[in-house]
Amino acid sequence: MERTVFFLDQKEMPTSWYNILPDLPEALPPYISPATGKLVTPQELGRIFPMELIKQEMSQERYIEIPEEIQAIYRTWRPSGLHRAFQLEKALKTPARIFYKYEGSSPAGSHKPNTAIPQAYYNMKEGVTRIATETGAGQWGSALSYSCSMFGIECKVYMVKVSYNQKPYRRILMETWGATCVPSPSTDTKAGRDALAKDPQSGGSLGLAISEAVEDAVTHENTHYSLGSVLNHVLLHQTIIGLESQKQMEMAGYYPDIVIGCVGGGSNFGGIAMPFLKDKISGKHKNIRCIAVEPMACPTLTKGHYEFDYGDVAGMAPICKMYTLGHNFMPAPVHAGGLRYHGMSPLVSLLYKLKLIEAKAVFQRPTFEAGVLFARTEGILPAPESNHAIRVAIDEALACKATGEAKTILFNLSGHGHFDLASYEEYHSGRLPDYEYPDEKVKEALKTLPKVSL
Amino acid sequence: MERTVFFLDQKEMPTSWYNILPDLPEALPPYISPATGKLVTPQELGRIFPMELIKQEMSQERYIEIPEEIQAIYRTWRPSGLHRAFQLEKALKTPARIFYKYEGSSPAGSHKPNTAIPQAYYNMKEGVTRIATETGAGQWGSALSYSCSMFGIECKVYMVKVSYNQKPYRRILMETWGATCVPSPSTDTKAGRDALAKDPQSGGSLGLAISEAVEDAVTHENTHYSLGSVLNHVLLHQTIIGLESQKQMEMAGYYPDIVIGCVGGGSNFGGIAMPFLKDKISGKHKNIRCIAVEPMACPTLTKGHYEFDYGDVAGMAPICKMYTLGHNFMPAPVHAGGLRYHGMSPLVSLLYKLKLIEAKAVFQRPTFEAGVLFARTEGILPAPESNHAIRVAIDEALACKATGEAKTILFNLSGHGHFDLASYEEYHSGRLPDYEYPDEKVKEALKTLPKVSL
């Protein structure tokens, strides 16, 4: 009897995260303060983040221990299953072996709680009683709401108003976990009120919601801000995905030739890929290919430039060196809301610049085509973001079919699509559009990069 | 390091279902044909069910082997996790040990695929290429859509029109798995057209949807009908829940004092309870208590009578001896759509009559109160049906707190509530009503029982 899912016993759950910083062949460029244009200080970051996370952000320790209190909550759904996609392979008639790590079994339905739990925990440990954050489609907001409820922390979520109105289920989910969720622009902050004064009908943007959450954090007592992707400590926490996958691939008896994840800010891809990249950098498995998949509508790695840019539209977040389309860029309304980010994690950016990873941009419709085939063979209904990874996994498996090679492909199924069914209906009805981000617009957007003096 | 979830390796997944029929202290009364008023014949049942399922319905074999093709699909999500509810225990300050078996990790989000998969499989084996069924809130329809897509069978779902309009996500889910879903009453059947002629605005009912699906099955070539609860073979397939739980409780080092499940037709309760009832009947664990929890709005066990009644409103389904509120009963619109059934599985009914199990009826609001506490402690957002089991598990744990006893409580968390968030919003807003089914209405409804000549 063959296994389809490789479950690790909870006693085998990794007890440390993997920090790639000391293994990088080239140092990561520093963060710049948007206020001073100079190196950001830990004190500046300390206004909005707990010291432990700031330490992790810059740590040169290869392994960072996961506190037992965090492990206890991780054990609600971790170790997550690693699946062999037997039925997808059969449907594709490919000699390739396709595996996927399924992160949709977390209470919030995605990989986001892997970092939301430690972020809430370290804030709680430092006496923070309230956290403010922003959310677009609601994946991050619901993960943080869940995590705050686990540690008795108040949670305030500024949700981009168009999503707030379109996705009431995500909002109710956050409220069920006890969070307060308001549409952004809101009247609760100066940034929100200013935006509403300019345009009372404003549907909001992720950039504006970040500004509101940061303002909320610095103007309230005992309140911090929390970010769901991009930063080093976020990717660090997500490495539990890759570390578990390595143990499970060993159970399965294969080492992957290709590792695939979708990228918005870069955390689910970084989380699965970095432990394997350690083997690539060390020369132990130097031929492994790691592929980051992004939407054609937001081709940060494939069309962006590697420059210093703001992390947010309002220019309040730290400036970092990353692949960027310019912080003023306005992405087309693809359903993969989690991939609509102008920049890219500095870590993933450096890995790409060093050619340690590859990148592919894909159109929206083919990603849904892949997701529907996946649902009809493997059963699980994927999130629109995850469909990007599935698309490229299928493409690689079809390439194997053409050459007859039996490669081992592993991809990260970052979340389920239970809250995204309206997008599937659009696909079924034939109304789902493809979007591309035109080269001229990229050029235009890149003119807005900030001045940095190092 | 303590475990929170007890995962069984896939190699330890049970390879047989447990059939309680040969262990019953008293024989189950036979089914009666609605056409003849006499014992139903296998030939009559063969019009709508495959022979293998009819055999299972009446089998006296204690264990029935699970074919490898079914095990292969089960392995997409089975064995499901058994969780220790450490955080709920802490919140309740109870000495009780609370465990729950989580069936929401199946692709359809509930326990329903445990029987939908074998039903689709046996139909496929007998050359059936199309299955018709009904669905209320959509749990069963989506489970069968998923299962049919696994075996290349066409699936037609008649969905009660009010739910079809209120729950578009469940419909899109079915369509994503390739099923055709129409609102019932539909123009596709005579039963539907007649209903529409009488009342063009009809919102439909489960009884009418059953009539449409059965008519569809008998008027189309190579088409069968499929039922998601009530019947013996359905409960048989669900015993995999209890069989796995027994192995996992052994891993945990405890045997339950109390086993709890919600009941509509009775399949998720029967599925978890029956393997434990084997130990009760044999005297091995004679003090174990199994509690079936139903809504006050539909108190089949606690207020119904043990009589022969139709399985459906239209009187087309087999007549069986069961606890019933009368087949014409109209349940109040509680959100636990899966528990709004006038009858009860004949097996669960007999077990209740023999006092081998207990029953409790609970109001709607306290079940949501329990579900929200569960979400804020254990993280998982439960289905409204499952909230009934949680309510009684909490009540039993609080009773332990009062007496100081450290009982071991196991309940079945039959599904997640990702598609039921509108009901949580109603609860949060304070607008969620409690419903009771008045005694006079029970008396009235019971006057409609059919005449049976045995």
Side-chain angles (χ1 to χ4, degrees):
Chain A
M1 184 172 123
E2 276 189 285
R3 286 190 186 90
T4 301
V5 189
F6 297 86
F7 287 118
L8 280 181
D9 188 276
Q10 295 207 309
K11 291 189 172 171
E12 295 173 75
M13 189 175 79
T15 55
S16 300
W17 296 297
Y18 166 60
N19 177 20
I20 201 171
L21 285 176
D23 290 328
L24 288 175
E26 193 175 285
L28 201 64
Y31 294 148
I32 306 296
S33 161
T36 64
K38 293 180 184 163
L39 292 189
V40 81
T41 64
Q43 286 67 32
E44 282 178 277
L45 293 175
R47 284 289 299 276
I48 51 173
F49 295 118
M51 271 304 148
E52 186 56 38
L53 291 180
I54 298 170
K55 271 202 270 177
Q56 290 180 3
E57 190 68 24
M58 328 214 157
S59 171
Q60 286 294 319
E61 295 294 320
R62 186 169 286 121
Y63 290 99
I64 292 174
E65 209 178 307
I66 308 175
E68 170 52 34
E69 293 95 322
I70 295 174
Q71 290 185 41
I73 309 287
Y74 272 179
R75 289 198 290 270
T76 302
W77 76 97
R78 303 213 73 88
S80 66
L82 181 115
H83 297 238
R84 173 80 184 262
F86 282 120
Q87 295 166 100
L88 177 61
E89 291 172 17
K90 209 169 118 189
L92 296 173
K93 300 192 178 74
T94 175
R97 287 174 289 266
I98 308 177
F99 291 87
Y100 58 95
K101 178 74 166 167
Y102 183 43
E103 290 294 311
S105 59
S106 80
S110 78
H111 65 293
K112 293 287 186 192
N114 295 335
T115 185
I117 289 291
Q119 290 195 43
Y121 169 78
Y122 291 119
N123 274 294
M124 178 272 288
K125 288 296 274 186
E126 295 188 16
V128 170
T129 55
R130 190 170 169 279
I131 298 181
T133 197
E134 75 290 333
T135 199
Q139 291 265 21
W140 170 244
S142 48
L144 192 68
S145 301
Y146 156 61
S147 302
C148 283
S149 96
M150 292 300 107
F151 294 108
I153 295 174
E154 221 179 302
C155 183
K156 172 81 172 268
V157 181
Y158 294 86
M159 185 171 187
V160 178
K161 195 187 270 175
V162 284
S163 297
Y164 184 93
N165 292 330
Q166 279 170 2
K167 305 208 170 194
Y169 273 30
R170 278 270 175 210
R171 168 183 56 77
I172 305 168
L173 187 60
M174 296 183 234
E175 289 169 352
T176 301
W177 280 315
T180 305
C181 179
V182 293
S184 166
S186 77
T187 54
D188 296 359
T189 66
K190 186 177 177 302
R193 288 188 296 271
D194 287 353
L196 287 170
K198 257 193 226 160
D199 176 8
Q201 304 308 318
S202 165
S205 73
L206 201 57
L208 180 57
I210 296 180
S211 307
E212 287 208 84
V214 172
E215 180 188 327
D216 181 302
V218 297
T219 55
H220 283 77
E221 227 171 298
N222 261 335
T223 300
H224 268 167
Y225 168 74
S226 185
L227 192 64
S229 191
V230 179
L231 299 176
N232 301 347
H233 68 266
V234 178
L235 272 70
L236 171 77
H237 302 152
Q238 296 292 357
T239 58
I240 192 155
I241 304 173
L243 293 167
E244 285 180 6
S245 298
Q246 286 185 316
K247 290 190 179 196
Q248 290 164 313
M249 289 301 300
E250 207 175 306
M251 279 174 77
Y254 296 101
Y255 192 92
D257 298 299
I258 306 172
V259 176
I260 300 167
C262 62
V263 283
S267 77
N268 97 76
F269 169 74
I272 194 165
M274 291 192 304
F276 290 100
L277 286 167
K278 177 171 180 289
D279 290 349
K280 186 179 179 80
I281 293 169
S282 74
K284 192 175 159 195
H285 288 284
K286 61 182 176 178
N287 292 324
I288 188 172
R289 295 170 56 204
C290 294
I291 308 176
V293 189
E294 57 189 16
M296 280 284 187
C298 187
T300 317
L301 289 172
T302 52
K303 284 194 180 177
H305 286 212
Y306 189 53
E307 301 282 1
F308 277 99
D309 197 3
Y310 295 112
D312 65 329
V313 180
M316 293 173 74
I319 296 167
C320 40
K321 191 152 187 192
M322 58 182 176
Y323 279 86
T324 178
L325 295 165
H327 60 278
N328 282 322
F329 121 110
M330 278 302 274
V334 290
H335 287 287
L339 309 185
R340 296 173 69 230
Y341 182 64
H342 71 279
M344 180 56 62
S345 143
L347 263 176
V348 170
S349 294
L350 180 58
L351 292 166
Y352 185 59
K353 191 214 123 192
L354 294 171
K355 295 193 169 37
L356 285 165
I357 62 169
E358 303 168 33
K360 283 200 174 153
V362 291
F363 279 113
Q364 178 165 246
R365 245 174 314 178
T367 65
F368 273 84
E369 185 197 8
V372 170
L373 176 62
F374 189 81
R376 291 186 185 177
T377 51
E378 294 296 312
I380 298 170
L381 184 99
E385 290 83 358
S386 313
N387 285 344
H388 288 69
I390 299 174
R391 175 72 265 167
V392 170
I394 289 176
D395 290 345
E396 290 291 338
L398 291 175
C400 285
K401 186 178 172 179
T403 62
E405 285 171 288
K407 285 186 186 165
T408 299
I409 300 167
L410 167 65
F411 71 87
N412 194 12
L413 187 57
S414 56
H416 66 59
H418 296 172
F419 300 107
D420 304 284
L421 279 154
S423 62
Y424 278 89
E425 177 155 55
E426 217 179 307
Y427 172 74
H428 295 319
S429 70
R431 288 181 284 110
L432 190 74
D434 275 338
Y435 298 102
E436 198 163 3
Y437 193 57
D439 292 332
E440 317 83 69
K441 277 186 75 180
V442 177
K443 269 185 211 158
E444 199 58 38
L446 287 173
K447 286 181 185 161
T448 62
L449 297 180
K451 287 202 173 71
V452 169
S453 60
L454 269 185
Chain B
M1 182 174 125
E2 275 189 286
R3 286 188 186 92
T4 301
V5 189
F6 298 85
F7 288 119
L8 281 181
D9 189 276
Q10 295 208 309
K11 290 187 174 174
E12 294 173 76
M13 188 174 78
T15 56
S16 298
W17 296 297
Y18 166 60
N19 178 20
I20 201 171
L21 285 177
D23 290 328
L24 288 175
E26 193 174 286
L28 201 65
Y31 294 147
I32 306 295
S33 161
T36 66
K38 292 179 185 163
L39 293 188
V40 81
T41 64
Q43 287 68 34
E44 283 178 277
L45 292 174
R47 284 289 300 277
I48 52 172
F49 296 119
M51 272 304 146
E52 186 57 37
L53 291 180
I54 298 170
K55 272 202 272 177
Q56 290 180 2
E57 190 67 24
M58 327 217 158
S59 172
Q60 287 294 320
E61 294 295 320
R62 184 167 288 120
Y63 290 100
I64 292 174
E65 210 178 304
I66 308 175
E68 170 53 33
E69 293 94 322
I70 294 174
Q71 290 187 40
I73 309 288
Y74 273 179
R75 288 198 291 270
T76 301
W77 76 96
R78 303 212 73 87
S80 66
L82 181 115
H83 297 237
R84 173 81 184 262
F86 282 120
Q87 294 166 99
L88 177 61
E89 291 172 17
K90 209 170 120 190
L92 297 173
K93 300 192 179 74
T94 175
R97 288 173 288 267
I98 308 176
F99 291 86
Y100 58 96
K101 178 74 167 167
Y102 184 44
E103 290 294 310
S105 59
S106 81
S110 78
H111 65 294
K112 293 287 185 191
N114 294 336
T115 184
I117 289 291
Q119 290 196 42
Y121 169 78
Y122 290 119
N123 274 293
M124 178 273 289
K125 287 297 273 187
E126 294 187 17
V128 170
T129 55
R130 188 169 171 279
I131 297 180
T133 199
E134 74 290 335
T135 200
Q139 290 265 22
W140 170 245
S142 48
L144 192 68
S145 301
Y146 156 61
S147 302
C148 284
S149 95
M150 291 300 106
F151 293 108
I153 295 175
E154 221 180 300
C155 184
K156 172 82 173 268
V157 181
Y158 294 86
M159 185 171 187
V160 177
K161 196 187 270 175
V162 283
S163 297
Y164 183 94
N165 291 331
Q166 278 171 2
K167 305 208 170 194
Y169 273 29
R170 279 270 175 209
R171 168 182 57 77
I172 306 168
L173 187 60
M174 296 184 233
E175 289 169 352
T176 302
W177 279 317
T180 305
C181 180
V182 294
S184 167
S186 77
T187 55
D188 296 359
T189 67
K190 187 177 174 302
R193 287 188 298 270
D194 286 354
L196 287 170
K198 258 193 227 159
D199 176 10
Q201 304 307 319
S202 164
S205 73
L206 201 55
L208 180 57
I210 296 181
S211 307
E212 287 208 84
V214 173
E215 180 188 328
D216 181 302
V218 296
T219 56
H220 283 78
E221 228 172 298
N222 261 335
T223 300
H224 268 169
Y225 167 74
S226 186
L227 192 64
S229 190
V230 179
L231 299 175
N232 301 348
H233 68 264
V234 178
L235 272 68
L236 171 77
H237 302 150
Q238 295 293 356
T239 59
I240 191 154
I241 303 173
L243 293 167
E244 285 180 7
S245 298
Q246 287 185 316
K247 290 189 179 198
Q248 289 163 313
M249 289 302 300
E250 207 176 306
M251 280 174 76
Y254 297 101
Y255 191 91
D257 298 298
I258 306 172
V259 176
I260 301 166
C262 63
V263 281
S267 77
N268 95 76
F269 170 74
I272 194 165
M274 291 194 301
F276 291 99
L277 287 167
K278 179 172 179 289
D279 290 351
K280 186 180 181 79
I281 294 169
S282 75
K284 193 175 159 194
H285 289 282
K286 59 183 177 178
N287 292 325
I288 186 170
R289 296 170 56 205
C290 294
I291 309 175
V293 189
E294 56 189 17
M296 279 285 188
C298 187
T300 317
L301 290 172
T302 52
K303 286 194 180 177
H305 286 213
Y306 189 52
E307 302 282 359
F308 277 99
D309 196 3
Y310 295 113
D312 65 328
V313 180
M316 295 173 73
I319 296 167
C320 39
K321 190 151 186 192
M322 58 182 177
Y323 280 85
T324 178
L325 295 166
H327 59 278
N328 283 322
F329 122 109
M330 277 303 275
V334 290
H335 286 287
L339 308 185
R340 296 172 70 232
Y341 182 63
H342 71 279
M344 181 56 63
S345 143
L347 263 176
V348 170
S349 295
L350 180 59
L351 291 167
Y352 185 59
K353 192 213 121 193
L354 294 172
K355 296 193 169 35
L356 286 165
I357 62 169
E358 303 168 33
K360 286 201 173 151
V362 290
F363 279 113
Q364 179 164 247
R365 245 174 314 178
T367 65
F368 273 85
E369 186 198 6
V372 169
L373 175 62
F374 189 81
R376 291 186 185 176
T377 51
E378 293 297 310
I380 298 170
L381 183 99
E385 290 83 359
S386 313
N387 285 345
H388 289 68
I390 298 173
R391 175 72 267 168
V392 170
I394 289 176
D395 291 344
E396 290 292 337
L398 292 175
C400 285
K401 186 178 172 179
T403 61
E405 284 172 291
K407 284 187 187 165
T408 300
I409 299 167
L410 167 65
F411 72 88
N412 194 12
L413 186 58
S414 56
H416 66 59
H418 296 172
F419 300 107
D420 304 285
L421 280 155
S423 62
Y424 278 89
E425 176 155 55
E426 218 179 307
Y427 172 74
H428 295 320
S429 70
R431 288 182 285 109
L432 190 74
D434 274 338
Y435 298 103
E436 198 162 4
Y437 192 57
D439 291 332
E440 318 83 69
K441 278 185 77 181
V442 176
K443 271 184 210 159
E444 199 58 39
L446 287 173
K447 286 182 185 161
T448 62
L449 298 179
K451 288 201 174 70
V452 169
S453 60
L454 268 185

